[in-house]
Every structure is written in structure tokens, then in C-alpha cells.
Amino acid sequence: MDYSSCINTSLDLNINPLRVHEEVPKKQIESNFFSLGRKSSVKQEESTGALVEELRRVSAENKRLTEMLTEMCENYNTLRSHLMEYMRKNPGKESSPSKKRKSESSNNNSNLMGINGNSESSSTDEESCKKPREETVKAKISRVYVKTEASDTSLIVKDGYQWRKYGQKVTRDNPSPRAYFKCSFAPSCPVKKKVQRSVDDQSIVVATYEGEHNHPNPSQMEATSGSSRCVTLGSVPCSASMSSSGPTVTLDLTKSKSSKDSKVPKPKIDSPEVPQILVEQMATSLTKDPNFRAALVAAISGKMLHK
DNA sequence: CGTGTTTGACCGGCGC
DNA sequence: GCGCCGGTCAAACACG
């Protein structure tokens, strides 16, 4: 279940205004950064000291966050292995012991993987990487797990598209109501979306997409027409997109303010079918990657220098 | 008044 | 054939 063996997890970190991680060795980054204060005059010593102090504080916070993220990833991996073990022991049994409809069970090879029906690599059996999927032949089905506030009952998943709610049901295997949406951006668009809270974790909303949009993402159109509105998936300002060459991740650490003229603002969501497992896998690799840490330090320092 | 949401009714597939 | 269940419809309603 090592996704990095199936996919290219190399990251295209879009960290503006400095992409120093590509051009400058990280040691040099850090030394440059810490020597910033020395370049200033003696009169600026106080402000320099404050800056260094703030930098240390930010670094400590960054370290703490990194440790938290690492711990979260470890917990997740533990849970995932438990789930896989459980499913191995109970082949054929799903989260719902009740009978499954034919159409749904045909899609449930994705459910076994737990996260995303559009996932290219997350199955325990390596066959999943090779065998063609039924839902790619018929209606494309994918799942997106979105972390929300537990108190938020709106069942709204922001993915950049416009949705019209046409129904709501309480299903048998989940006390939370399931909401049904149709894509309302284009009348001919066949895409439907089901949104329901996870039975295990009420703070997680599961959005199931059926079909493919026959129109571009409205938020992308907005972005290209001058609006810099940032569409986020859940509350995480990062996105992952699946391409033939592998996924790329864009971390918008500059909150779209400082990335003004370097390039056209990248659409935040290339597809609603963001494989959450990949995001988490990437998060794991990120936390272990010293290059990423150096780039993060550079990004923060760049942000501070541009104040 | 137009648009979107809510919600009970209805439909069709599936298992028994 | 019957009942269960998920999915969809459409009238009523809310809101700007």
C-alpha cells in the first residue's frame, strides 16, 4: 500500500515570491536568512533582534506543527492498516452489512480502498493499478472526503462548481441525512453529487461525484477572467491534481497576495476528485522531506521580508 | 417575482 | 408478488 511506488510524488511547490529551494542550497538559505540582521546597521539592531526572535518563534511553531502533522499521519496510517486488516479478515463485508444494490456494488471496488473511487493506486491488490475500472467506462464515480466543523450541518462542499440540491434522504446505514445535488452551471451537465457525513466521524463530509462535467470549472473561468477568488477544498489551501505524469501539489503559502504578477493564478481545483489519500501521503512525504522544510523556511522568510 | 431549498410522495431495482 | 431501500420528482415554501 505504498503509493509512492505507484505514483510520482515529486512536488511542484509553488512558493512565491522566492523559489529558493530550487536555486539555492538550503544551508545557504538558512545562513542567508540568519545573517540578514548582521547586514543592517547598529541602529537597527533592536528591530533585527525582534525579527530574529520572531523567526525563532515561527520556526518553533513550524516545528511543532510539523510534529503534529507527522503524528496525525502516523495515526492515520495505523488506522488504515487496521482497516485493511479488518477487510482482509472479512472479505466481501462492507461497512454496511445490509444488501447492496447492483449498481452500487459495481462501484464498490473503490469503496474497499476506502478513500476515492478515482484513485489510481490505493488498493491493496496491485491489480487495481492495471485493470480497467468499470466506472471509467460508465459514469465516473469518485469520492472526496472533506474535513469540516462538526457543528456545521450545512453539507456544503466547496469545489468550485455550482450545485442545485434536489433531494435529501436519511439512509439506513447512516443517521446523517444524505443530500443530492445536480450541477446547475450547465443545464446539460450530467454530473450529480451526493454529500453525507461520515458515519464514523461527523466532522468529515463525504462527497460522491457521479459523471464528468461537460464544461469548465466556473471558478477557473472566474480566475482567468481576473478574479483571484481562492476556492479551497474544505479549509485546506492546497490542491492536488492528477495528471498523466503524476500528481502535483500547489501550496499557496502566500495567500495569493504576493503571487501577483509572477504567473496567471493557478486554478486551485483541477478536478473535484481529489484523492485525499494522496494528499495525506504527500503530507507525510513533505514532513519527512528536509528540502520542504528548507523551502518552508525560505517562504516564511520571504513573506516576512516583503512586509 | 425569480430562484433555490425543503420535504413528502413516488418510482424502480433488488432480495426474499 | 411483496416489502425494503435508494434515488428522484415536484409542490410548497423561503428568501432576496
Side-chain angles (χ1 to χ4, degrees), chain A residues 88-100:
Chain A
R88 229 185 358 259
K89 286 177 182 175
N90 303 277
K93 280 188 186 175
E94 301 275 335
S95 55
S96 162
S98 63
K99 61 188 175 186
K100 284 286 174 183

Side-chain angles (χ1 to χ4, degrees), chain A residues 28-40 48 52 55:
Chain A
Q28 194 179 336
I29 294 169
E30 289 166 7
S31 61
N32 285 349
F33 187 76
F34 282 107
S35 66
L36 285 172
R38 294 180 205 133
K39 287 182 183 172
S40 40
T48 302
V52 171
L55 171 68

Side-chain angles (χ1 to χ4, degrees), chain A residues 45-202:
Chain A
E45 237 176 39
E46 278 188 18
S47 59
T48 302
L51 268 177
V52 171
E53 189 61 33
E54 188 172 353
L55 171 68
R56 290 206 178 113
R57 190 181 56 79
V58 169
S59 297
E61 190 176 349
N62 179 34
K63 192 180 174 185
R64 194 166 49 85
L65 288 171
T66 303
E67 286 169 358
M68 285 172 63
L69 185 59
T70 307
E71 191 180 348
M72 277 178 59
C73 290
E74 284 171 1
N75 288 342
Y76 170 73
N77 285 330
T78 306
L79 273 174
R80 193 176 58 187
S81 59
H82 286 167
L83 177 66
M84 289 308 162
E85 193 176 347
Y86 174 78
M87 286 184 169
R88 229 185 358 259
K89 286 177 182 175
N90 303 277
K93 280 188 186 175
E94 301 275 335
S95 55
S96 162
S98 63
K99 61 188 175 186
K100 284 286 174 183
R101 308 178 82 79
K102 191 165 62 176
S103 58
E104 202 170 327
S105 61
S106 68
N107 301 322
N108 270 344
N109 52 355
S110 59
N111 295 351
L112 278 168
M113 303 187 296
I115 299 297
N116 193 321
N118 201 29
S119 171
E120 275 82 6
S121 57
S122 52
S123 173
T124 46
D125 55 345
E126 58 266 359
E127 284 181 12
S128 68
C129 289
K130 304 166 190 171
K131 71 177 178 186
R133 303 196 168 283
E134 288 176 27
E135 63 262 34
T136 61
V137 179
K138 297 176 182 178
K140 194 175 178 179
I141 295 186
S142 62
R143 288 195 175 186
V144 175
Y145 287 35
V146 181
K147 178 86 174 172
T148 66
E149 294 285 332
S151 56
D152 183 15
T153 59
S154 59
L155 282 178
I156 292 175
V157 176
K158 293 174 186 168
D159 53 19
Y161 291 94
Q162 295 174 7
W163 300 97
R164 174 188 167 83
K165 189 176 181 180
Y166 67 91
Q168 181 167 318
K169 271 278 187 188
V170 176
T171 55
R172 222 169 67 97
D173 53 349
N174 193 335
S176 304
R178 173 184 296 172
Y180 298 90
F181 295 90
K182 280 178 185 171
C183 181
S184 64
F185 183 74
S188 60
C189 182
V191 179
K192 292 173 189 170
K193 178 171 83 168
K194 289 180 283 191
V195 180
Q196 189 174 30
R197 296 201 167 272
S198 169
V199 68
D200 297 321
D201 188 348
Q202 293 289 303

